[in-house]
Each structure stands twice: as C-alpha cells, then as structure tokens.
Amino acid sequence: MFAWLAQNISTIIVAAVLILIVALIVKYLVKNKRQGKSSCGAGCAHCALHGKCHGAK
C-alpha cells in the first residue's frame, strides 16, 4: 500500500488540487446564484431568451 502511494504521490497531489479548484468554483457559482446574480454578461436586448432568464420587473 505504501509503495503504491509513494509511486503515485504526484498524481494524487495534482488530482487533489484540481478537485479543490473545481469545488471552489462551484461554491462561488452557488453563492452568486443565491444572491441573485446572473452569469450572463447583460446586454439582454439581443439575447434569444430576452425576458426569460430574469424575472419580470
């Protein structure tokens, strides 16, 4: 078991860092969604979903 860990430690570290980065991105997106922020860049006048993604004001 320890020999396998020693042989693959660099792969395990890289995978852990990537998983952490993805988790932080998901957390950021969920936080923005809960705050009502949109992921679009505004400019809804020319969007095919104009008036659909943002609630009626």
Side-chain angles (χ1 to χ4, degrees):
M1 178 73 177
F2 291 114
W4 181 84
L5 283 174
Q7 291 173 351
N8 295 303
I9 193 70
S10 61
T11 303
I12 294 169
I13 291 172
V14 170
V17 169
L18 290 175
I19 290 171
L20 177 65
I21 290 170
V22 169
L24 290 173
I25 290 170
V26 168
K27 180 181 174 184
Y28 173 76
L29 292 173
V30 168
K31 178 183 166 191
N32 282 349
K33 182 72 173 174
R34 286 184 180 166
Q35 291 178 351
K37 295 181 182 177
S38 176
S39 62
C40 68
C44 294
H46 301 291
C47 180
L49 295 175
H50 174 69
K52 302 291 183 198
C53 61
H54 303 287
K57 295 179 181 177

